[in-house]
Amino acid sequence: MDNLSFESISIDNADAFFKNDLKVDILRLDKISPIVSGNKWFKLRYHLERARSKGCNTLVTFGGAWSNHILATSSVCEAEGFTAVGIIRGEKPTLLSPTLTAAQERGMQLVFISRSDYADKFIPEEYDNSNTYIINDGGFGETGAKGAATILTYSDSSYTHICCAVGTGTMMAGIINACAINQQVIGIQVLKNHPELGSMIQSLVIDHGKKWNLVHDYHFGGYAKYNAALLAFMNEFYTQTHIPSDFVYTAKLFYAVKQLANTQFFPGKSKLLIIHSGGLQGNQSLPPGTLIF
Ligand SMILES: *Cc1c(COP(=O)(O)O)cnc(C)c1O
């Protein structure tokens, strides 16, 4: 069973790395657990409540071979006594990824479906009944955003900007909903070619007076794509701050904030909070020795 340590969450100062007369703090949600790190528990918390109140004992969700969401779902289901089913995109490989192996070890049943069935959100018949509670691919939706909003209980309204990585946009929407009116939320998009993302986030935003913007230029070629510069940055960032990052989400976030800081995107004396949303387990898909941490 994974022990989640919410007491370990800290706010670490990183002014020295980001420079440019900015105050920069990093909210270390990665410290919750090496396995179920980051934002995923927050996104799942109210789903568990709803599943329970509907009398469902099985949670079904979707993801790829390296999905942080799949692994987190397997872990919380094990802890809370739900049966977990992971619908996985693509053919069953001869060797499971470490992520899927870990999910299976936590009792999740893995069901592999073709990419076209996956795109149609096909649910195998045996799981399509009133005992099952279904969570969207990547946990997108209002219930996830409501949970993500509680991330800001670890913060305060003194920050002028809150920066986070954006996949489905659920976490960002929650943060927009929870932030104060004087704060601005900056989301770094890790997917390429996702023109609907802004309107999807908008659909989850409750108070339309909040300030937020999506930055599209730091996806490094697309979801889970990377290059030598990003890997070098991760090692450099670790050397200077002792903070590990993951190449899918948080490395792109820290890289983007550093570039934006260098181009005076943030007015002088801004006070930034960067959300370290975890995801470190995904680095296992990199060739051994790539990272120094
Ligand atoms: C899932 C994930 C995100 C993105 O969250 P969304 O709510 O899908 O936008 C960001 N960072 C990490 C580490 C994640 O695992």
Side-chain angles (χ1 to χ4, degrees):
M1 194 90 72
D2 299 305
N3 289 313
L4 304 187
S5 169
F6 296 96
E7 315 77 62
S8 328
I9 295 174
S10 62
I11 291 188
D12 295 359
N13 183 267
D15 296 358
F17 183 81
F18 289 94
K19 300 194 178 81
N20 295 291
D21 202 19
L22 298 171
K23 288 268 167 226
V24 184
D25 284 344
I26 300 182
L27 178 63
R28 299 287 308 276
L29 302 181
D30 59 307
K31 288 169 137 192
I32 293 171
S33 147
I35 310 291
V36 190
S37 69
N39 65 2
K40 294 298 183 278
W41 179 85
F42 292 93
K43 287 176 60 180
L44 287 169
R45 62 189 299 183
Y46 295 122
H47 282 296
L48 298 176
E49 269 188 30
R50 290 190 66 201
R52 216 175 257 125
S53 71
K54 291 184 170 197
C56 301
N57 56 15
T58 303
L59 254 69
V60 178
T61 196
F62 303 84
W66 296 97
S67 167
N68 295 325
H69 169 68
I70 285 286
L71 183 52
T73 305
S74 72
S75 172
V76 298
C77 283
E78 184 192 32
E80 306 281 335
F82 288 96
T83 301
V85 180
I87 313 246
I88 310 301
R89 184 179 48 232
E91 296 288 297
K92 183 175 185 190
T94 30
L95 200 61
L96 287 184
S97 67
T99 307
L100 295 183
T101 305
Q104 203 169 49
E105 282 167 7
R106 287 160 178 76
M108 181 179 257
Q109 298 167 33
L110 302 177
V111 182
F112 292 85
I113 65 173
S114 70
R115 284 171 187 272
S116 61
D117 279 350
Y118 189 92
D120 297 337
K121 298 281 172 292
F122 173 76
I123 297 169
E125 227 168 84
E126 65 264 44
Y127 302 114
D128 198 0
N129 60 57
S130 62
N131 287 333
T132 54
Y133 180 93
I134 294 165
I135 302 177
N136 287 339
D137 191 3
F140 176 79
E142 208 177 295
T143 309
K146 187 177 156 212
T150 65
I151 289 172
L152 287 196
T153 57
Y154 293 91
S155 164
D156 63 56
S157 60
S158 70
Y159 296 99
T160 56
H161 299 77
I162 303 171
C163 307
C164 67
V166 180
T168 65
T170 306
M171 169 173 64
M172 182 174 181
I175 287 171
I176 295 167
N177 288 335
C179 76
I181 203 79
N182 61 303
Q183 298 182 301
Q184 188 172 352
V185 184
I186 311 291
I188 307 301
Q189 182 173 330
V190 303
L191 287 103
K192 191 167 87 169
N193 301 334
H194 192 347
E196 321 85 71
L197 186 58
S199 53
M200 287 173 77
I201 293 171
Q202 187 74 59
S203 74
L204 301 178
V205 169
I206 296 164
D207 175 352
H208 296 288
K210 299 284 179 68
K211 293 190 286 282
W212 57 276
N213 46 316
L214 270 178
V215 178
H216 309 278
D217 317 326
Y218 296 97
H219 54 68
F220 286 80
Y223 184 71
K225 298 280 197 297
Y226 60 92
N227 63 18
L230 186 69
L231 300 174
F233 174 84
M234 291 168 78
N235 284 332
E236 166 79 5
F237 185 66
Y238 183 77
T239 302
Q240 289 199 34
T241 63
H242 306 294
I243 298 175
S245 53
D246 80 294
F247 75 97
V248 181
Y249 294 101
T250 55
K252 294 178 183 179
L253 167 67
F254 295 133
Y255 185 99
V257 174
K258 176 76 173 160
Q259 296 297 313
L260 293 173
N262 288 346
T263 52
Q264 274 66 54
F265 175 91
F266 303 103
K269 307 242 185 285
S270 291
K271 189 176 171 194
L272 278 52
L273 182 71
I274 309 180
I275 313 278
H276 192 320
S277 43
L280 300 174
Q281 65 90 24
N283 285 342
Q284 291 175 85
S285 69
L286 295 171
T290 307
L291 300 173
I292 58 170
F293 54 87

